[in-house]
Amino acid sequence: CSSDLSLLYTVTGIITTATNTTSANTASYYLQDGTGGVNLFCTFGSTFRPNMGDSVTATGFLSSYGGNLELYDDTSNPAQGSPTINSTGNALPIPQLIAWDNLYQYGTNANLNNTYQGSLVLLTNVYFGANAGIITTNGNYNLSVTNSAGKLARVYLYGGQDNDLTNRTIPAFAYAVMGPLIAASNPYEVAPTRWSDIVTTVPAVKLDTPANGASFTAPASITLSATVTSNGYPISAVNFYNGPTLITSVTTPPYSYAWTGVGVGGYPISARAVYPLFGNNFTASSGTSNVTVNLPLAPVSSVSIAAGAGNSLNIS
């Protein structure tokens, strides 16, 4: 949807940003319903300060700022009035996992504009590069980031309007960054408004058994076991894999399983813990143990030993 200054639009949705993103007598938030998200910009809005999770209804024109679509609500205009808070403490929409493709194309990608702009998104495996180690002040930070393949994106921190984002050390790596996707005249930006939206610690998984290099005799019984350090995340399951193939899923500790009847061959065994993150399920993986199952030795029915010439032994 594009800007439209001739018609008034009324929207109702959940506030998805933790704090006001502008100062003085205006207020700017992101608001989202089941169809998408939009920036809600209110003039003369110093008394309107909703919290993340509030359901809000607002009326205004569709405008844009720096290429970013916004609902412009002039609270001094009786036809628009002040936004209303309908309820509080609502669950946030589940952020959409977003690919790194085209995130550096200056807001021109139609799919990103129409599908993701203004909505909560989740960017995974984020490297902060030269920004790592910066300690934030009360300024705003527009950070260029990459993934492991070198694809580019931006993470924008509203440190100037959000004390929770100040006096923080930019990490070298984040497993995930969550925030609304802003389509601006600069490259697309993911804008977290809480430091907890930048995830640097996830569950850790250790495959206890089998040991790497272990060997067994077919048909083998192999004990699969893993230890999980949750780091504060609830663990919904630990899955054991033979290469890419799921062997079994264990939902409660101790995370152990007797894998029986295993035939001859080589098996790369690993464990993956399943945990929730912002409404999405993710996995944390252990290392891999490569094990071997061998043929059993053929049984020997009888052995005959006799003396031979020159004090030798003949065995048959």
Side-chain angles (χ1 to χ4, degrees), residues 240-256:
F240 292 96
Y241 285 85
N242 168 30
T245 304
L246 178 67
I247 299 171
T248 192
S249 181
V250 183
T251 57
T252 57
Y255 300 110
S256 181

Side-chain angles (χ1 to χ4, degrees), residues 23 28 50 54 82 115 145 149 154 181 213 238 275 304-305:
S23 58
S28 179
D54 287 353
S82 298
T115 307
V145 296
R154 284 192 187 273
L181 183 71
V238 171
Y275 65 96
S304 176
I305 302 176

Side-chain angles (χ1 to χ4, degrees), residues 180-196:
L181 183 71
I182 301 173
S185 54
N186 290 318
Y188 292 94
E189 300 167 340
V190 179
T193 57
R194 302 172 298 182
W195 190 249
S196 59

